[in-house]
Amino acid sequence: IWNISMRSRSCVPWKEERSSRETERKRMDKHELNVKVEQMRKQAGLGDYQTAVKIADKIDWRRVSNVSLLTQVSEIYEKVGKYAEAKDILLLAVERTPMGRGLLFKLTQLALKVNSIDEAEECFEEFQRLAPQDTRQKLLRYLILKAKGAQPQQLMPPLEEYVSEELSDEWMYELAELYHRAGMREACLTALPYFSAPASGCKRPCA
């Protein structure tokens, strides 16, 4: 009995030491993470997204629980065209918070950018369930149809509905292009005055 008692007592300092080392390791890991995150944010703030992504690649984002930070990192990956990585990071954010309409909207867009139409449709269905009155439903419906290779006549209705509620130069210009492709010159010309100018380097579709 005495020997067992002594062995049990001798384990206490060892356990305390191990716990202390573990606490110190976690503290150092958190400090290192904070330093890298600040470096990443600084580069992103300067517009150097390539360097920001290189820093982000060194971080194990599975260990991060901050939804706002994960969303920001997803946007940084998207800036450099790494849509698969952007989607994976955003999915981590989704796992850490109740599914919100904003995250679902973004996930649908990213799924389309990596040509995952089935996944995009699943996200879209959930978005419809959570936000039945959200105007962006029409935009997502248009984007999914476009990804499927739908004809202009199929693409025009949802985009027309969207721009009638959310006036946007980008989407009005795209609608004018659809009218042009469909041979609807009058509709195309009517759409043109509603946006200030086509995107840089683009020609006016009805010219």
Side-chain angles (χ1 to χ4, degrees), residues 148-192:
K148 289 181 173 181
Q151 295 300 307
Q153 288 79 4
Q154 296 173 284
L155 294 170
M156 287 186 283
L159 192 55
E160 285 172 335
E161 290 180 28
Y162 178 72
V163 299
S164 69
E165 298 181 42
E166 297 288 338
L167 194 58
S168 159
D169 281 6
E170 177 186 1
W171 300 112
M172 186 60 78
Y173 179 76
E174 192 150 331
L175 180 59
E177 285 188 319
L178 288 175
Y179 288 145
H180 178 64
R181 286 170 53 196
M184 300 169 62
R185 181 173 173 78
E186 290 301 317
C188 183
L189 290 170
T190 300
L192 288 178

Coordinates of all heavy atoms in Angstrom, one line a residue, residues 148-192:
K148 N -25.2 26.3 -66.1 CA -25.8 25.1 -66.8 C -25.8 25.3 -68.3 O -26.1 24.3 -69.1 CB -27.2 24.7 -66.3 CG -27.2 24.2 -64.9 CD -28.6 23.9 -64.5 CE -28.7 23.1 -63.2 NZ -30.1 22.8 -62.8
G149 N -25.5 26.5 -68.8 CA -25.4 26.7 -70.2 C -26.8 27.0 -70.8 O -27.0 26.8 -72.0
A150 N -27.7 27.6 -70.0 CA -29.0 28.0 -70.5 C -29.0 29.0 -71.6 O -28.0 29.8 -71.6 CB -29.9 28.4 -69.3
Q151 N -30.0 29.1 -72.4 CA -30.1 30.0 -73.5 C -30.5 31.4 -73.0 O -31.1 31.5 -71.9 CB -31.1 29.6 -74.5 CG -30.6 28.3 -75.3 CD -29.3 28.5 -76.0 OE1 -29.1 29.4 -76.8 NE2 -28.3 27.6 -75.7
P152 N -30.2 32.5 -73.7 CA -30.6 33.8 -73.3 C -32.1 34.0 -72.9 O -32.4 34.6 -71.9 CB -30.3 34.7 -74.5 CG -29.2 34.0 -75.2 CD -29.5 32.5 -75.0
Q153 N -33.0 33.3 -73.6 CA -34.4 33.4 -73.3 C -34.7 32.8 -71.9 O -35.7 33.3 -71.3 CB -35.2 32.6 -74.4 CG -35.3 33.3 -75.7 CD -34.0 33.1 -76.5 OE1 -33.1 32.4 -76.1 NE2 -34.0 33.7 -77.7
Q154 N -33.9 31.8 -71.4 CA -34.1 31.3 -70.1 C -33.4 32.1 -69.0 O -33.9 32.2 -67.9 CB -33.5 29.9 -70.0 CG -34.2 28.9 -70.9 CD -33.5 27.5 -70.9 OE1 -32.5 27.4 -71.5 NE2 -34.0 26.6 -70.2
L155 N -32.4 32.8 -69.4 CA -31.6 33.6 -68.5 C -32.2 34.9 -68.2 O -32.0 35.5 -67.1 CB -30.2 33.8 -69.0 CG -29.3 32.5 -69.1 CD1 -28.0 32.8 -69.9 CD2 -29.0 32.0 -67.8
M156 N -32.9 35.5 -69.2 CA -33.4 36.9 -69.0 C -34.4 37.1 -67.9 O -34.2 38.0 -67.1 CB -34.0 37.4 -70.3 CG -32.9 37.7 -71.4 SD -33.6 38.4 -72.9 CE -34.3 37.0 -73.7
P157 N -35.4 36.2 -67.7 CA -36.4 36.5 -66.7 C -35.9 36.6 -65.3 O -36.2 37.7 -64.6 CB -37.4 35.2 -66.8 CG -37.2 34.8 -68.2 CD -35.8 35.0 -68.6
P158 N -35.0 35.7 -64.7 CA -34.6 35.9 -63.3 C -33.7 37.2 -63.2 O -33.7 37.9 -62.2 CB -33.8 34.7 -63.0 CG -33.4 34.1 -64.3 CD -34.5 34.4 -65.2
L159 N -32.9 37.5 -64.3 CA -32.0 38.6 -64.2 C -32.8 39.9 -64.3 O -32.5 40.9 -63.6 CB -30.9 38.6 -65.3 CG -29.8 39.6 -65.1 CD1 -29.1 39.5 -63.8 CD2 -28.8 39.4 -66.3
E160 N -33.9 39.9 -65.1 CA -34.8 41.1 -65.2 C -35.4 41.3 -63.9 O -35.6 42.5 -63.5 CB -35.8 40.8 -66.3 CG -35.3 40.9 -67.7 CD -36.4 40.4 -68.7 OE1 -37.3 39.7 -68.4 OE2 -36.3 40.9 -69.9
E161 N -35.9 40.3 -63.2 CA -36.5 40.4 -61.9 C -35.5 41.0 -60.9 O -35.9 41.9 -60.1 CB -37.0 39.1 -61.4 CG -38.2 38.5 -62.2 CD -38.7 37.2 -61.7 OE1 -38.5 36.9 -60.4 OE2 -39.2 36.4 -62.4
Y162 N -34.3 40.5 -60.9 CA -33.3 41.0 -60.0 C -33.0 42.5 -60.2 O -33.0 43.3 -59.2 CB -32.0 40.2 -60.1 CG -30.9 40.7 -59.2 CD1 -31.0 40.5 -57.8 CD2 -29.8 41.4 -59.6 CE1 -30.1 41.0 -56.9 CE2 -28.9 41.9 -58.8 CZ -29.0 41.6 -57.4 OH -28.0 42.1 -56.6
V163 N -32.7 42.9 -61.4 CA -32.3 44.3 -61.7 C -33.5 45.3 -61.5 O -33.3 46.5 -61.3 CB -31.7 44.5 -63.1 CG1 -30.4 43.7 -63.2 CG2 -32.6 44.2 -64.2
S164 N -34.7 44.7 -61.6 CA -35.9 45.6 -61.3 C -36.0 46.0 -59.9 O -36.6 47.0 -59.5 CB -37.2 44.9 -61.8 OG -37.5 43.8 -60.9
E165 N -35.4 45.2 -59.0 CA -35.4 45.5 -57.6 C -34.1 46.0 -57.0 O -34.0 46.7 -56.1 CB -35.8 44.2 -56.8 CG -37.2 43.7 -57.1 CD -37.6 42.5 -56.3 OE1 -37.3 42.4 -55.1 OE2 -38.1 41.5 -56.9
E166 N -33.0 45.5 -57.7 CA -31.6 45.9 -57.2 C -30.8 46.5 -58.5 O -30.2 45.7 -59.2 CB -30.9 44.7 -56.6 CG -31.5 44.2 -55.4 CD -31.3 45.1 -54.2 OE1 -30.4 46.0 -54.2 OE2 -32.1 45.0 -53.2
L167 N -31.0 47.7 -58.7 CA -30.3 48.3 -59.9 C -28.8 48.2 -59.7 O -28.2 48.7 -58.7 CB -30.7 49.8 -60.0 CG -30.4 50.4 -61.4 CD1 -31.0 49.7 -62.5 CD2 -30.8 51.9 -61.4
S168 N -28.1 47.6 -60.7 CA -26.7 47.4 -60.7 C -26.1 47.6 -62.0 O -26.6 47.0 -63.0 CB -26.4 46.0 -60.1 OG -25.1 45.6 -60.4
D169 N -25.1 48.4 -62.2 CA -24.4 48.5 -63.4 C -23.9 47.2 -64.0 O -24.1 46.9 -65.2 CB -23.2 49.5 -63.3 CG -23.6 50.9 -63.3 OD1 -24.8 51.2 -63.2 OD2 -22.7 51.8 -63.3
E170 N -23.3 46.4 -63.1 CA -22.8 45.1 -63.6 C -23.8 44.2 -64.2 O -23.7 43.7 -65.3 CB -22.1 44.4 -62.4 CG -21.6 43.0 -62.8 CD -21.0 42.3 -61.6 OE1 -21.1 42.8 -60.4 OE2 -20.6 41.1 -61.7
W171 N -24.9 44.1 -63.5 CA -26.0 43.1 -63.9 C -26.9 43.7 -65.0 O -27.4 43.0 -65.8 CB -26.8 42.6 -62.7 CG -25.9 41.9 -61.7 CD1 -25.6 42.3 -60.5 CD2 -25.2 40.7 -62.0 NE1 -24.7 41.4 -59.9 CE2 -24.4 40.4 -60.8 CE3 -25.0 39.8 -63.1 CZ2 -23.6 39.3 -60.7 CZ3 -24.2 38.7 -62.9 CH2 -23.5 38.5 -61.8
M172 N -27.0 45.0 -65.0 CA -27.8 45.7 -66.1 C -27.0 45.5 -67.4 O -27.6 45.3 -68.5 CB -28.0 47.1 -65.8 CG -28.9 47.8 -66.8 SD -30.6 47.0 -67.0 CE -31.4 47.7 -65.5
Y173 N -25.7 45.7 -67.3 CA -24.8 45.5 -68.5 C -24.9 44.0 -69.0 O -25.0 43.8 -70.2 CB -23.4 45.8 -68.2 CG -22.4 45.6 -69.4 CD1 -22.4 46.6 -70.4 CD2 -21.6 44.6 -69.4 CE1 -21.6 46.4 -71.5 CE2 -20.7 44.4 -70.5 CZ -20.7 45.3 -71.5 OH -19.8 45.2 -72.6
E174 N -24.9 43.1 -68.1 CA -25.1 41.7 -68.5 C -26.4 41.4 -69.1 O -26.5 40.6 -70.1 CB -24.8 40.8 -67.3 CG -24.6 39.3 -67.7 CD -23.7 38.6 -66.7 OE1 -22.8 39.2 -66.1 OE2 -23.9 37.3 -66.6
L175 N -27.4 42.0 -68.6 CA -28.8 41.9 -69.2 C -28.8 42.4 -70.6 O -29.4 41.8 -71.5 CB -29.8 42.6 -68.3 CG -31.3 42.5 -68.8 CD1 -31.7 41.0 -68.9 CD2 -32.2 43.3 -67.8
A176 N -28.2 43.6 -70.8 CA -28.1 44.2 -72.1 C -27.4 43.2 -73.1 O -27.8 43.1 -74.3 CB -27.4 45.5 -72.1
E177 N -26.4 42.5 -72.6 CA -25.7 41.6 -73.4 C -26.6 40.4 -73.8 O -26.5 39.9 -74.9 CB -24.4 41.1 -72.7 CG -23.3 42.0 -72.7 CD -22.0 41.4 -72.1 OE1 -22.1 40.6 -71.2 OE2 -20.9 41.7 -72.7
L178 N -27.4 40.0 -72.9 CA -28.3 38.9 -73.2 C -29.3 39.3 -74.2 O -29.6 38.5 -75.2 CB -29.1 38.5 -71.9 CG -28.3 37.7 -70.8 CD1 -29.1 37.5 -69.6 CD2 -27.8 36.4 -71.4
Y179 N -29.8 40.6 -74.1 CA -30.8 41.1 -75.1 C -30.1 41.1 -76.5 O -30.7 40.7 -77.5 CB -31.2 42.5 -74.8 CG -32.2 42.6 -73.6 CD1 -32.1 43.7 -72.7 CD2 -33.1 41.6 -73.4 CE1 -33.0 43.8 -71.6 CE2 -34.0 41.7 -72.3 CZ -33.9 42.8 -71.4 OH -34.8 42.9 -70.4
H180 N -28.8 41.5 -76.5 CA -28.1 41.6 -77.8 C -27.9 40.2 -78.4 O -28.1 40.0 -79.6 CB -26.7 42.2 -77.5 CG -25.8 42.2 -78.7 ND1 -26.1 43.0 -79.8 CD2 -24.6 41.6 -79.0 CE1 -25.1 42.9 -80.7 NE2 -24.2 42.0 -80.2
R181 N -27.6 39.2 -77.5 CA -27.4 37.8 -78.0 C -28.7 37.2 -78.5 O -28.7 36.4 -79.5 CB -26.9 36.9 -76.9 CG -25.4 37.1 -76.6 CD -25.0 36.4 -75.3 NE -25.4 35.0 -75.3 CZ -25.4 34.2 -74.3 NH1 -25.2 34.7 -73.1 NH2 -25.8 32.9 -74.4
A182 N -29.8 37.7 -78.0 CA -31.1 37.2 -78.4 C -31.7 38.0 -79.6 O -32.8 37.7 -80.0 CB -32.1 37.3 -77.2
G183 N -30.9 39.0 -80.1 CA -31.4 39.7 -81.2 C -32.5 40.8 -80.8 O -33.2 41.3 -81.7
M184 N -32.5 41.1 -79.5 CA -33.6 42.1 -79.1 C -32.9 43.5 -78.9 O -32.6 44.0 -77.9 CB -34.1 41.6 -77.7 CG -34.8 40.2 -77.8 SD -35.2 39.5 -76.2 CE -36.4 40.7 -75.5
R185 N -32.7 44.1 -80.1 CA -31.9 45.3 -80.1 C -32.6 46.5 -79.4 O -32.0 47.2 -78.6 CB -31.7 45.8 -81.6 CG -30.9 47.1 -81.7 CD -30.6 47.4 -83.1 NE -30.0 48.7 -83.2 CZ -28.7 49.0 -82.9 NH1 -27.9 48.0 -82.5 NH2 -28.2 50.2 -83.0
E186 N -34.0 46.6 -79.5 CA -34.7 47.6 -78.8 C -34.6 47.5 -77.3 O -34.3 48.5 -76.6 CB -36.2 47.7 -79.2 CG -36.4 48.1 -80.7 CD -35.8 49.5 -80.9 OE1 -36.0 50.4 -80.1 OE2 -35.2 49.7 -82.0
A187 N -34.7 46.3 -76.8 CA -34.6 46.0 -75.4 C -33.2 46.3 -74.9 O -33.0 46.9 -73.8 CB -35.0 44.6 -75.0
C188 N -32.2 46.0 -75.7 CA -30.8 46.2 -75.4 C -30.6 47.7 -75.3 O -29.9 48.2 -74.3 CB -29.9 45.6 -76.5 SG -28.2 45.8 -76.2
L189 N -31.0 48.5 -76.2 CA -30.8 49.9 -76.2 C -31.6 50.6 -75.0 O -31.1 51.6 -74.5 CB -31.4 50.6 -77.5 CG -30.5 50.2 -78.8 CD1 -31.2 50.7 -80.0 CD2 -29.1 50.9 -78.7
T190 N -32.7 50.0 -74.7 CA -33.5 50.6 -73.5 C -32.7 50.3 -72.2 O -32.7 51.1 -71.3 CB -34.9 49.9 -73.4 OG1 -35.6 50.1 -74.6 CG2 -35.6 50.4 -72.3
A191 N -32.0 49.2 -72.1 CA -31.3 48.9 -70.9 C -30.1 49.7 -70.7 O -29.6 50.0 -69.6 CB -30.9 47.4 -70.9
L192 N -29.4 50.2 -71.8 CA -28.2 50.9 -71.8 C -28.2 52.1 -70.9 O -27.3 52.4 -70.1 CB -27.7 51.3 -73.2 CG -27.2 50.1 -74.0 CD1 -26.7 50.6 -75.4 CD2 -26.0 49.4 -73.3

